[in-house]
């Protein structure tokens, strides 16, 4: 009987230690996998012919991450669970011209994003490609960096996503008699969904 009791206490100790170890790195929360970003507004404007002025081509859009993203585990003393990055919406405006000094892949900009609580969100946008033949399309990439300082820790995540916007698929518009071209989201297509990918992370990385 003594041997049986001793074995029981040893097993109980091992299970207790195992539980503590798991609590330091909790399982992924139910909001994984990451939910899509939502592009609710898109407007592109450009002259069709050269010469290009400094602000000849412009792009305005609104993109949002509507979901809470886990930043990292909260201390047990605070109730446990997860500290989360707040959802975030950004207004992106770009103006550029096409020349040797400004290829599309280097056309980048930051987006205005209101900050909420202690979460700092940084949206960036890059124009990768623009083509007019055989039909107008744009390839655009986005990045969202989250920062949060809580419970003495610095939490960080970087997510990226891309959009292929093409006339007839998810864009509508065209060029008028003055060779001024404009494009917006196709009627009924909003919001366009963009699947993000986690590329950099500090804590609760999955």
């Amino acid at each position: 009987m003594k041997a049986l009791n001793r074995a029981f206490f040893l097993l109980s100790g091992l299970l207790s230690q195992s539980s503590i170890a798991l609590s330091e790195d909790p399982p992924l929360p139910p909001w994984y996998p990451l939910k899509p970003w939502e592009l609710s507004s898109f407007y592109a404007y450009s002259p069709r012919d050269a010469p290009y002025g400094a602000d000849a081509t412009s792009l305005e859009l609104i993109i949002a991450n509507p979901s809470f993203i886990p930043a990292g585990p909260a201390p047990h003393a605070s109730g446990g669970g997860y500290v989360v990055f707040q959802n975030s919406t950004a207004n992106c405006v770009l103006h550029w011209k096409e020349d040797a000094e400004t290829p599309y892949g280097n056309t980048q900009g930051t987006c205005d994003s209101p900050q909420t609580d202690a979460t700092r969100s940084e949206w960036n946008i890059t124009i990768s490609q623009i083509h007019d033949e055989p039909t107008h399309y744009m390839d655009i990439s986005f990045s969202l960096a989250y920062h949060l300082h809580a419970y003495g820790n610095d939490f960080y995540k970087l997510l990226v996503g891309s959009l292929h916007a093409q006339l007839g698929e998810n864009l509508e518009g065209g060029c008028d008699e003055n060779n001024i071209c404009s494009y917006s989201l196709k009627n009924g297509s909003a919001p366009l969904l963009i699947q993000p990918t986690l590329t950099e992370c500090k804590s609760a990385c999955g």
Side-chain angles (χ1 to χ4, degrees):
M1 181 63 69
K2 291 183 178 180
L4 182 60
N5 288 339
R6 183 181 180 186
F8 173 77
F9 286 121
L10 286 173
L11 179 59
S12 298
L14 289 172
L15 289 174
S16 176
Q17 293 176 20
S18 175
S19 176
I20 293 172
L22 288 174
S23 66
E24 294 175 356
D25 187 14
L28 292 177
W31 47 81
Y32 273 108
L34 297 171
K35 294 180 175 62
W37 294 338
E38 297 181 356
L39 186 78
S40 58
S41 177
F42 179 103
Y43 180 73
Y45 169 93
S46 67
R48 188 173 187 177
D49 299 323
Y52 287 83
D55 293 334
T57 305
S58 64
L59 174 65
E60 302 177 14
L61 58 84
I62 298 175
I63 188 171
N65 170 38
S67 306
F68 294 102
I69 302 294
H76 292 291
S78 69
Y82 283 87
V83 180
V84 297
F85 299 117
Q86 298 293 316
N87 49 24
S88 175
T89 300
N91 294 280
C92 305
V93 179
L94 280 180
H95 302 283
W96 73 95
K97 60 181 178 178
E98 180 185 11
D99 58 27
E101 296 181 358
T102 316
Y104 288 127
N106 290 331
T107 305
Q108 301 177 347
T110 58
C111 305
D112 182 27
S113 177
Q115 307 303 305
T116 58
D117 297 331
T119 299
R120 181 162 56 93
S121 57
E122 300 172 350
W123 288 88
N124 287 275
I125 179 174
T126 300
I127 306 297
S128 303
Q129 293 188 74
I130 298 180
H131 288 283
D132 289 313
E133 300 295 339
T135 185
H136 180 82
Y137 74 85
M138 304 176 69
D139 287 331
I140 307 168
S141 60
F142 302 91
S143 68
L144 169 58
Y146 271 127
H147 303 268
L148 173 65
H149 182 80
Y151 300 112
N153 295 308
D154 291 314
F155 300 109
Y156 165 76
K157 278 183 172 62
L158 177 65
L159 302 93
V160 299
S162 61
L163 169 69
H164 178 78
Q166 182 167 326
L167 183 65
E169 292 185 2
N170 46 28
L171 294 182
E172 60 186 13
C175 303
D176 63 18
E177 64 275 7
N178 297 315
N179 282 327
I180 301 298
C181 307
S182 61
Y183 304 94
S184 58
L185 292 182
K186 191 175 181 179
N187 187 32
S189 66
L192 296 184
L193 301 182
I194 300 171
Q195 182 59 49
T197 301
L198 181 65
T199 58
E200 296 180 17
C201 176
K202 183 180 179 181
S203 188
C205 299

